[in-house]
């Protein structure tokens, strides 16, 4: 199976990894932009007191379930990726949905890459970034430190109460259906966060971290 489908490789070349942690991140149900922003901080090392902008001392980041990241609104159809073949009139345009089908990890890798500093350190940081579309990954011989994403907080006015007393009907059926879909999305996000917390707790119980 091709690299585009299987994701990153275990071998990390041309970059020093001594003294660095291997952070394990579960991308299931996470919003693309929020996740990419946190991953870029880990790769730059801004979560450490030893951060220096001219040194690449960020941790190695291993992301699983990268094919299950979410895009809010209509970004899956509206967001475009462009590349040119070099021939006249050969501008290739694909939507985020098409790229997810062709290469499941491309969207997340490109989002993280564009959030890193535009200098020579970006190549070193991207070498320490490994993404995998599913649960399986080859980093089984190292100690993985789980990284838990903070919960996505929705404003209360965006999570309306859709419970109706028995026998009542909504005065605005269209608005009620819209509010119900929004409430379902919020509940699904909370359920996904609870599942990730349970998985992280189970992982820690079987693999105690030395840090």
């Amino acid at each position: 199976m091709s690299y585009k489908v299987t994701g990153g490789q275990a071998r990390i070349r041309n970059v020093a990894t001594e003294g660095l942690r291997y952070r394990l991140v579960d991308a299931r149900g996470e919003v693309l932009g929020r996740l990419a922003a946190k991953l870029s901080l880990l790769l730059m090392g801004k979560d450490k007191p030893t951060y220096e902008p001219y040194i690449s001392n960020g941790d190695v980041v291993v992301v699983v379930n990268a094919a299950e990241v979410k895009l809010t609104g209509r970004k899956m159809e509206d967001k475009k990726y462009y590349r040119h073949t070099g021939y006249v009139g050969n501008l290739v345009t694909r939507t985020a949905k098409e790229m997810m089908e062709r290469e499941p990890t491309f969207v997340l890798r490109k989002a993280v890459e564009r959030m890193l500093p535009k200098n020579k350190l970006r190549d070193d940081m991207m070498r320490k970034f490994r993404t995998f579309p599913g649960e399986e990954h080859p980093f089984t011989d190292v100690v993985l430190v789980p990284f838990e994403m903070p919960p996505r907080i929705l404003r209360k006015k965006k999570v309306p109460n859709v419970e109706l007393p028995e026998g009542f009907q909504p005065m605005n059926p269209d608005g009620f259906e819209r509010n119900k879909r929004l409430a379902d999305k919020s509940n699904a996000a909370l359920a996904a966060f609870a599942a990730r917390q349970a998985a992280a707790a189970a992982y820690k119980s079987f693999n105690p971290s030395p840090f």
Side-chain angles (χ1 to χ4, degrees):
M1 192 173 293
S2 66
Y3 167 82
K4 291 184 178 181
V5 178
T6 57
Q9 301 176 353
R11 183 178 299 178
I12 300 177
R13 303 177 178 176
N14 302 327
V15 61
T17 59
E18 283 188 35
L20 301 181
R21 293 177 295 179
Y22 284 72
R23 310 300 297 272
L24 180 64
V25 183
D26 188 357
R28 182 188 291 112
E30 294 291 347
V31 179
L32 176 64
R34 295 182 71 252
L35 178 61
K38 294 296 183 181
L39 297 180
S40 62
L41 295 180
L42 295 178
L43 291 172
M44 287 187 285
K46 283 192 172 182
D47 60 328
K48 300 179 178 180
T50 57
Y51 166 73
E52 294 289 349
Y54 54 88
I55 299 176
S56 176
N57 61 351
D59 294 327
V60 178
V61 178
V62 180
V63 180
V64 295
N65 297 317
E68 300 183 32
V69 294
K70 304 298 182 183
L71 279 81
T72 57
R74 300 179 181 177
K75 297 185 182 71
M76 194 66 79
E77 291 79 21
D78 294 345
K79 186 174 179 60
K80 302 290 195 305
Y81 292 91
Y82 303 94
R83 71 177 181 88
H84 204 283
T85 62
Y87 293 91
V88 177
N90 281 264
L91 178 65
V92 181
T93 304
R94 292 194 178 99
T95 63
K97 183 177 181 180
E98 293 173 343
M99 292 305 303
M100 291 286 289
E101 294 173 354
R102 294 173 61 91
E103 190 175 351
T105 62
F106 172 84
V107 175
L108 180 59
R109 284 192 289 107
K110 185 59 66 174
V112 172
E113 181 182 9
R114 291 174 175 174
M115 291 188 182
L116 295 176
K118 279 67 174 177
N119 53 32
K120 295 181 179 179
L121 296 179
R122 179 165 64 173
D123 293 338
D124 294 342
M125 296 174 187
M126 288 302 296
R127 291 189 184 100
K128 295 183 290 185
F129 182 52
R130 292 291 183 265
T131 57
F132 301 91
E135 290 278 359
E136 297 181 357
H137 62 84
F139 290 90
T140 56
D141 55 342
V142 296
V143 178
L144 296 174
V145 182
F147 173 77
E148 187 63 41
M149 282 286 294
R152 183 186 178 193
I153 301 176
L154 300 177
R155 290 183 294 179
K156 291 185 177 180
K157 68 177 184 180
K158 286 192 175 182
V159 187
N161 184 11
V162 293
E163 296 182 0
L164 290 176
E166 186 178 356
F168 282 74
Q169 296 294 331
M171 296 183 62
N172 184 0
D174 295 337
F176 179 78
E177 289 298 329
R178 184 167 57 251
N179 293 338
K180 188 176 180 181
R181 289 194 298 269
L182 181 61
D184 291 341
K185 286 184 179 180
S186 176
N187 294 332
L190 293 175
F193 176 69
R196 289 194 301 274
Q197 277 189 323
Y203 181 86
K204 290 179 180 179
S205 62
F206 289 102
N207 300 276
S209 174
F211 297 96

